[in-house]
Amino acid sequence: MASLAARIGELHGRGSAHESAAVAAQAAVTLAPPDVARLADLLRSRGPYGAAGYLVRATVHGSPDQAAGTLAELRRAGLADEANELFHALWAVPGPALPALLAALERAGQAADGQTLLWEWASAPPAELASLAGALASAGRTADVRHLLRQVAGRLIADLAATVEELVLLDGRDRTAAQDGRPDPTAPQLAALLVRETAGLRSPADLAELGRVLTPHRELYRVLLDAAAVLEESRARAVLAALRSAGLPTAPPAPRSRSARTPSRDRAQHHDRDHY
């Protein structure tokens, strides 16, 4: 490690900053996590300035286990500043890669960091949130899906409604079997899960506002009504009263018969509007 640290410092000292950074970046993804932590400690004490932080941040370009293992080793070595540098770099990991990273953090004994990452992700744009929820569900991380959507349920109604719409699209894609086009009854219904989480957390007025958004989605509006029905009695009455005040139905919508369906999306939407 000492010779590698000296090489990085030598290159930087003679003006080859890009080459010095390239050596550090390669070390970040090829050395074992304990060695990355030792190298970071040497660079921290010997320089060049900023090299230790650059080294640990570069581990995110390796495998999830490389980044998670390095984070754990940095903390064991008492390198708090470098551990923070790496953890903040993990915020930039894209949603589709996050399930693997969460699993790696758990294996490295850093599960709390994974929950913090999910909390940060809850403020992402609706389309990115929906993509992450789908990735988590596909990876079988049901508890993480609920944790994420519970955070989303606290956002502004406009953001919440946009996320519901994105999840409706995602559910529709995921429920279509690739081979024969028939619905897959085992696919997760993420939009419905978000509606249920929201019903347990938001005020009656907020739920009435959400109800207006859900009226084109007959099944989801029923989910909202069903979720309201199992709330504490006084709260359930308040939610139903808010829905009625907003001019929304408080009885479950009748299921749509097959004979009433048409191949035209416009006619189906018009049918829904007529019901409400």
Side-chain angles (χ1 to χ4, degrees), residues 99-187:
L101 176 60
L102 295 177
L105 287 168
E106 290 168 358
R107 289 191 292 270
Q110 311 297 305
D113 291 311
Q115 295 307 297
T116 301
L117 287 175
L118 283 177
W119 184 85
E120 292 288 342
W121 260 92
S123 61
E128 294 179 24
L129 279 170
S131 177
L132 174 57
L136 291 169
S138 296
R141 300 188 66 88
T142 306
D144 287 338
V145 173
R146 294 187 67 90
H147 178 80
L148 177 69
L149 295 185
R150 194 172 296 117
Q151 299 298 321
V152 175
R155 290 181 61 166
L156 296 174
I157 290 295
D159 292 340
L160 177 58
T163 305
V164 169
E165 294 287 355
E166 292 289 344
L167 289 173
V168 167
L169 294 175
L170 183 68
D171 285 337
R173 289 194 298 268
D174 287 349
R175 283 179 61 85
T176 300
Q179 294 181 344
D180 56 17
R182 292 181 301 179
D184 174 8
T186 67

Side-chain angles (χ1 to χ4, degrees), residues 170-217:
L170 183 68
D171 285 337
R173 289 194 298 268
D174 287 349
R175 283 179 61 85
T176 300
Q179 294 181 344
D180 56 17
R182 292 181 301 179
D184 174 8
T186 67
Q189 290 296 279
L190 299 174
L193 179 57
L194 178 54
V195 171
R196 292 189 194 97
E197 291 290 342
T198 304
L201 295 174
R202 302 300 288 264
S203 70
D206 286 344
L207 295 180
E209 190 174 349
L210 178 61
R212 293 191 189 95
V213 177
L214 296 180
T215 52
H217 305 290

Side-chain angles (χ1 to χ4, degrees), residues 218 221-226 240 243-244 248-255 275-276:
R218 183 184 300 265
Y221 190 81
R222 178 169 190 138
V223 169
L224 178 61
L225 291 178
D226 289 346
L240 294 178
L243 292 173
R244 284 193 293 269
L248 298 171
T250 55
H275 177 80
Y276 294 106

Side-chain angles (χ1 to χ4, degrees), residues 234-245:
S234 62
R235 178 166 159 74
R237 286 199 303 267
V239 171
L240 294 178
L243 292 173
R244 284 193 293 269
S245 295

